[in-house]
Amino acid sequence: MTMDGHTLARYGLAGIRLVNGVASLLAPQVVARRLGADPNQPAVIYVLRMFGVRTVVLGAELLLLKDAHELDRALRVGTLIHTSDALSAAWAGQEGSLPRRAAVAATAISTVNVALAFLAQRRNCCPSAAH
């Protein structure tokens, strides 16, 4: 079975989302430490678990959606979410609320997610293909 670039980007993005989401849900203390946050602070754990739920849903959506229009919508929404994540991580690093190394890593991961979401989108890829 061969996959085109759109499909590979979609599955790659789904994998990244699922790994990060499950880690945030099941091991928020580990994720907190990697971000340079206090893993004993209940608010940090709460926010990471909310992030985890959101991210698992986004990842599962890419694997489960079959309708092209629904999938395109999910990818567009995901692009906005990952862009906001990248900007938030960069901002947190700039203002010092996230350690520089963690901010660079989070910004890079979210930027890769933005790129994968764009690559996974099929709309307007083929002018002759009408929706």
Side-chain angles (χ1 to χ4, degrees):
M1 176 175 146
T2 60
M3 284 193 243
D4 63 20
H6 300 290
T7 304
L8 285 173
R10 172 183 166 192
Y11 287 142
L13 180 57
I16 291 169
R17 287 175 174 178
L18 291 171
V19 166
N20 287 330
V22 168
S24 294
L25 274 172
L26 301 180
Q29 292 85 358
V30 173
V31 175
R33 274 192 290 282
R34 292 199 56 119
L35 289 172
D38 181 357
N40 298 311
Q41 192 175 56
V44 170
I45 302 308
Y46 170 71
V47 169
L48 283 171
R49 285 199 169 122
M50 283 193 326
F51 168 82
V53 167
R54 174 205 79 165
T55 306
V56 166
V57 168
L58 290 171
E61 207 173 34
L62 293 184
L63 299 177
L64 300 174
L65 288 176
K66 302 298 181 206
D67 179 75
H69 295 291
E70 293 275 325
L71 182 57
D72 188 52
R73 181 207 51 81
L75 288 164
R76 284 193 319 271
V77 169
T79 301
L80 292 173
I81 290 169
H82 293 306
T83 300
S84 123
D85 289 349
L87 292 171
S88 295
W91 188 359
Q94 184 67 30
E95 72 179 13
S97 59
L98 197 59
R100 179 166 167 68
R101 183 177 171 154
V104 168
T107 303
I109 290 168
S110 292
T111 301
V112 166
N113 289 345
V114 170
L116 287 172
F118 274 126
L119 290 172
Q121 293 179 35
R122 289 179 175 269
R123 63 184 166 79
N124 299 328
C125 75
C126 313
S128 63
H131 285 334

